[in-house]
Amino acid sequence: MQWTNARLQRFFFGSFVLLLAMRFYEGLWFMQLLAPPFHYVSADNFYWLLHILTLPQTWIQSNYLTCLAEPLLLLIALAKIARPQWMLPNYVFAPLFTLYFTTFNSVQTHHAHDMLGFFFLGWGLVFARSSYFPFVWKALRYYFCFAMLSAALWKIGRGSVFEIEQMSRILQQQHLHLLQYPDSHPLSSLYAWLIEHPTWSWSLLLFGTFLELLFVIGFFTKRYDRLLLVALLLFFAGDYLLLNLSFIAFLIFGLLLIPLKSDFSSVPASLDKKPETQTFA
Amino acid sequence: MKTATRYRLYVLAGLFVLGQLFFFYKGVETLPFYNYGMYSAPIAAKDTFQQLEIYIDGQAWNYHRPTALAVDFIESQLDFYNNLERHDFKDPVRHTVRRRFGENSAWEPLLINSPEVKQAFPEWLGRYLKARGQVESGQKLALKRCRYIYQAGYPQRVACTEVAHYAVD
């Protein structure tokens, strides 16, 4: 089944509402952070520019602006769910969310990748009703396949995937705090067992790398996109269960693997000459 | 779509690929060029592990809960403080800033953390934990650097050193 443009946008912004709800529950809304003292620019030139312009510092330190952050993004998302054909929220969302997630990453002191899906797809949806959209969406799909594949190539290129002890050592570092309280997590004994049995934990690392490698298929055909969607879900479910890493926001990249009505490569050639707007809902 | 437009889009996509290759080669990230090399570096065997921990009235505080978002946030804050403390609260990013902009750049204070975060962080942590219902006024908050060894898959505490403390307002 092919998704309409409206359904695609509703799903994207609906997922974003869920993400905001999760972040509120976890106490991660800007107003809940109470102006953390750190900021971290790393070597990222974009972060340097934003900090020289004092945008993240101003946003996170101002009582009024922190109160506006998520409510404003929530309002945009709800407006899009109600009226997906309205484009103004898309134009506001992309730059606002860019500033939002870079500001959060800066005060978190870790430039996490989990919200990159909303960043890249948010900019892609700026073209949602343009004739460029099929091209932009395809380009983003290739980028996503590259991101997943490159994660495997990094592990292969640096040789870590061939180290039998690698996953066991990752688990030792990752769960150092959690394993001090074995009763507080249902999988504590599994983590301890995997640390003690490196060959078994290594086999999980190999399987995870295999799932990432599958994304090479995405460069040659769209026929197996459902398989890639399953691989994506499996990989990040494993990430969550084994490493306690929440990459749930990253799953929004999976939208790129769903066929769209606006994708002309998947409709009869005779329709390719008609105006693109006819193919939108 | 017109051929000229299609051509321009392909040029833009090509430039993005070139930018991605450049930052891949440099080994750093600049939005929107990311490297997805998480956990790809081989990890050497270690006898001891260390981390900064939060103590409330002398008791180690367990911050693990069912979802991982806030845990990541708190662990990142503690790791960052731990790293700054080991550098005597002189932000290591200053070396990169000085290499790019020279000594005494007007932009440096905007890019690095000042030594004042040494006091500001425990104070903020007290406020944050109080707002989350984890501590109450008058309780003593301490940050300790603890060392562990692994035995039978579980970490065993070897020693802890207090690096900061704060009485919650």
Side-chain angles (χ1 to χ4, degrees), chain A residues 101-112:
Chain A
F101 97 92
T102 49
T103 300
F104 178 78
N105 279 351
S106 173
V107 298
Q108 180 179 231
T109 70
H110 172 52
H111 293 190

Side-chain angles (χ1 to χ4, degrees), chain A residues 204-262:
Chain A
L204 293 171
L205 177 66
L206 287 179
F207 182 62
T209 309
F210 168 73
L211 291 176
E212 291 173 330
L213 275 175
L214 281 179
F215 281 80
V216 72
I217 299 170
F219 286 98
F220 302 104
T221 177
K222 289 184 173 181
R223 194 182 301 168
Y224 300 105
D225 276 9
R226 283 184 186 173
L227 171 73
L228 298 184
L229 199 54
V230 172
L232 175 73
L233 293 172
L234 264 180
F235 182 83
F236 286 107
D239 234 15
Y240 179 68
L241 291 172
L242 280 178
L243 296 171
N244 211 24
L245 291 173
S246 176
F247 267 78
I248 198 161
F250 198 85
L251 294 178
I252 199 67
F253 268 124
L255 267 183
L256 297 164
L257 301 172
I258 292 170
L260 301 181
K261 280 194 173 174
S262 56

Side-chain angles (χ1 to χ4, degrees), chain A residues 39 57, chain B residues 97 105-114:
Chain A
H39 61 266
Q57 301 97 310
Chain B
V97 175
S105 159
W107 289 336
E108 185 173 307
L110 299 172
L111 297 169
I112 68 166
N113 289 282
S114 73

Side-chain angles (χ1 to χ4, degrees), chain A residues 155-174:
Chain A
K155 293 183 185 81
I156 294 167
R158 297 170 101 174
S160 61
V161 75
F162 306 112
E163 298 270 347
I164 294 175
E165 300 273 345
Q166 174 77 2
M167 190 63 187
S168 172
R169 289 169 186 165
I170 289 173
L171 290 167
Q172 280 184 325
Q173 191 64 53
Q174 184 70 17

Side-chain angles (χ1 to χ4, degrees), chain B residues 67-145:
Chain B
T67 54
L69 278 171
V71 172
D72 286 349
F73 180 76
I74 291 167
E75 285 188 340
S76 296
Q77 299 287 304
L78 293 173
D79 286 346
F80 197 76
Y81 187 86
N82 195 18
N83 191 39
L84 279 181
E85 203 270 343
R86 288 194 304 199
H87 286 91
D88 201 20
F89 291 95
K90 291 174 182 163
D91 195 333
V93 172
R94 75 187 188 285
H95 299 301
T96 316
V97 175
R98 287 173 189 177
R99 199 164 57 243
R100 289 183 182 178
F101 298 138
E103 299 280 334
N104 303 319
S105 159
W107 289 336
E108 185 173 307
L110 299 172
L111 297 169
I112 68 166
N113 289 282
S114 73
E116 289 161 14
V117 294
K118 180 181 181 179
Q119 281 303 316
F121 177 70
E123 289 171 16
W124 168 81
L125 190 63
R127 283 200 312 276
Y128 179 72
L129 294 181
K130 189 177 169 187
R132 303 296 301 161
Q134 303 297 324
V135 294
E136 293 172 1
S137 296
Q139 286 192 296
K140 188 188 168 194
L141 201 70
L143 296 173
K144 295 184 182 182
R145 185 180 293 126

